[in-house]
Amino acid sequence: MDGVNGVRPAQHPTALKVQRELGDAFEVLEFPEGTRSAVDAAAAVGVDVAQIVKSLVFRAADDRPVIAYVSGANRADENRLSGLAGTPLSKADAHFVRNTTGFAIGGVSPARRIEGALTFIDSDLAALGELWAAAGTPTAVFRLTFGDLQRLTGGKVADIALRA
């Protein structure tokens, strides 16, 4: 994809750090139009929004981070997540997200396990082949599979999507 529509290999220092963490098995790409939201990322990459892995960070009552990796087509069921975590949850602010994950909102990457975090993976992602996830910045993503997501994050697969 190098150079196509401005897409380029990682150049931002944070995206380069994620690339080093991931190694040669993955390629971090930067999209000038941005990948901050699932809709933006899907449009930039050219895939269905369901294939985008949203990284949602919550704050547990004991101040541990709870991370939910959710299909871009889904909303997380906060009550179900709270039950799985065994503690009340609140939305994490930007300061908490950066301090606990090392990433800013819009760039939280599943490239590594977050120390002390309770981590959950949306079971709906298992049915999809190719997935795309944040790579440290609001313009960087990388391609992975559901198995890769499990291996990288150590997350527990659960039905965490909000159902109507």
Side-chain angles (χ1 to χ4, degrees), residues 18-90:
V18 170
Q19 181 64 73
R20 284 190 299 275
E21 291 172 350
L22 288 168
D24 293 337
F26 301 93
E27 182 181 19
V28 173
L29 298 172
E30 292 187 50
F31 291 80
E33 59 270 32
T35 57
R36 181 177 297 275
S37 73
V39 171
D40 292 344
V45 175
V47 298
D48 188 86
V49 71
Q51 294 173 267
I52 302 301
V53 179
K54 294 190 294 192
S55 303
L56 306 176
V57 181
F58 299 90
R59 187 177 201 150
D62 62 3
D63 284 334
R64 282 183 300 169
V66 175
I67 303 173
Y69 294 106
V70 182
S71 168
N74 292 343
R75 289 187 56 205
D77 184 327
E78 292 182 40
N79 289 330
R80 191 172 293 143
L81 273 171
S82 178
L84 289 166
T87 183
L89 302 179
S90 61

